[in-house]
Amino acid sequence: ADAPPRGRTTGERKKERKRERIVIVIMFFDDIAKSLSELLKPVDVGTTTIDAAAKGAAPKLHVDVNTGASVIAIDASKTIEITDGVSIEACGTPAGDLSANVEANGLVSGFDLKLTGVTADASSASVGAKFSMDSLGVTADGALKAGSDVTATACYAVDDNLSVGASAVVSSASGGVSAWSIAAQRVDGPTTLSTSVTDGGNTLAVGVNSELDANTSAGLRATLNMGDRNTLGFALAVSKKLSSGDVARVVYANSGDTDIAYNTTLCKGADVTACLRLAKNNSYKTGFQVSLNN
């Protein structure tokens, strides 16, 4: 008698490949090169911020203290779930400024809507909409005030590894496009390649970021400004998770500034990030972010 097949049969392998091919990655324009942008993000210096959130009815608190501690801003917010997919975030300050953010997600398949900064004067609010279908994601954002510009984006996931997108700012007054940009990203294993053209075609950026190992990431972006005078800039960064669980990140730009961020957990629910910027003139600035969650 014939020996039984070893492992998966040819038919089983074909079925698995077919299932793998129908996996669709939904991306929006802002997701292109997002991991690189987060890696290269300048650290927050010159301020100390404290964010506190507790379970239950207590509101979220955000405290912002400037360098000289002469100005302290306190914001409080509380999110209320109205129904599945619909929530209202009520925000307030000690000065009595009140506003609300309203989100409605998934009431219509693939469609999300958000109103931000709703006050007694409704025209001061802004509205943002997202819609995704198969491998296409589109967004539209703008203020409710009459005559405000609208920012529209579209992103198409060609496959699991390649995405292309475009963004345009449309003037409601003239109907013309006042600004536009295009971008693309390709993922190859642990490495992501990205490129973008912005400022009406005057700025070209090319970037690469990669996971060097399970705890280390590195990235580089070069930017060519082709305006009145061609200028080339670059920024590179490395992020490392230490054996202690702390995370250190270093960003260097051709301007000569070096940013250092160090994140540590003091105890359960309490994280602190210390930031340092070393300027090329040997001056420095510091900043601290504290996050408390119970």
Side-chain angles (χ1 to χ4, degrees):
D2 294 336
R6 299 175 59 186
R8 295 167 296 176
T9 65
T10 301
E12 288 172 340
R13 287 194 292 269
K14 286 183 178 178
K15 289 180 180 179
E16 289 189 6
R17 285 197 295 268
K18 184 177 181 180
R19 286 196 295 267
E20 290 173 357
R21 283 196 294 269
I22 64 175
V23 174
I24 296 175
V25 178
I26 297 297
M27 289 183 62
F28 292 97
F29 183 77
D30 289 343
D31 293 322
I32 295 178
K34 186 175 181 179
S35 58
L36 177 60
S37 297
E38 291 177 348
L39 190 61
L40 296 174
K41 181 181 178 181
V43 300
D44 294 323
V45 293
T47 186
T48 296
T49 61
I50 302 173
D51 290 283
K55 296 179 180 178
K60 296 179 182 178
L61 293 177
H62 175 77
V63 181
D64 194 338
V65 183
N66 75 351
T67 306
S70 59
V71 177
I72 300 178
I74 302 176
D75 299 306
S77 64
K78 175 63 180 176
T79 300
I80 304 170
E81 298 290 339
I82 303 301
T83 185
D84 187 25
V86 180
S87 64
I88 297 177
E89 181 186 30
C91 309
T93 69
D97 298 324
L98 301 176
S99 64
N101 303 321
V102 183
E103 286 192 41
N105 299 324
L107 297 183
V108 177
S109 179
F111 182 75
D112 297 336
L113 182 68
K114 183 174 183 178
L115 291 172
T116 306
V118 180
T119 64
D121 179 12
S123 63
S124 64
S126 60
V127 59
K130 284 186 174 183
F131 178 71
S132 59
M133 180 179 63
D134 296 331
S135 53
L136 177 67
V138 297
T139 68
D141 299 272
L144 292 180
K145 185 177 180 180
S148 299
D149 293 345
V150 176
T151 300
T153 74
C155 181
Y156 179 70
V158 180
D159 54 34
D160 290 351
N161 301 314
L162 177 63
S163 296
V164 295
S167 172
V169 178
V170 181
S171 171
S172 59
S174 65
V177 175
S178 59
W180 61 268
S181 60
I182 57 176
Q185 167 182 296
R186 178 169 180 79
V187 178
D188 186 5
T191 301
T192 301
L193 303 173
S194 57
T195 185
S196 65
V197 178
T198 59
D199 299 329
N202 288 327
T203 302
L204 170 66
V206 178
V208 58
N209 61 287
S210 183
E211 295 179 2
L212 305 183
D213 57 44
N215 299 311
T216 309
S217 299
L220 168 68
R221 175 181 285 155
T223 304
L224 176 63
N225 190 321
M226 299 172 288
D228 296 334
R229 183 178 61 181
N230 288 353
T231 58
L232 178 65
F234 70 87
L236 55 90
V238 176
S239 177
K240 175 74 174 180
K241 184 176 182 180
L242 309 178
S243 58
S244 61
D246 297 349
V247 177
R249 183 170 64 95
V250 179
V251 183
Y252 176 78
N254 67 299
S255 62
D257 291 348
T258 300
D259 285 1
I260 302 172
Y262 190 90
N263 175 267
T264 185
T265 299
L266 299 180
C267 59
K268 184 179 179 180
D271 291 341
V272 175
T273 301
C275 302
L276 173 66
R277 174 167 297 157
L278 301 172
K280 63 180 179 180
N281 61 359
N282 295 324
S283 64
Y284 69 91
K285 291 183 178 180
T286 60
F288 298 91
Q289 293 87 49
V290 181
S291 177
L292 304 174
N293 293 281
N294 287 321

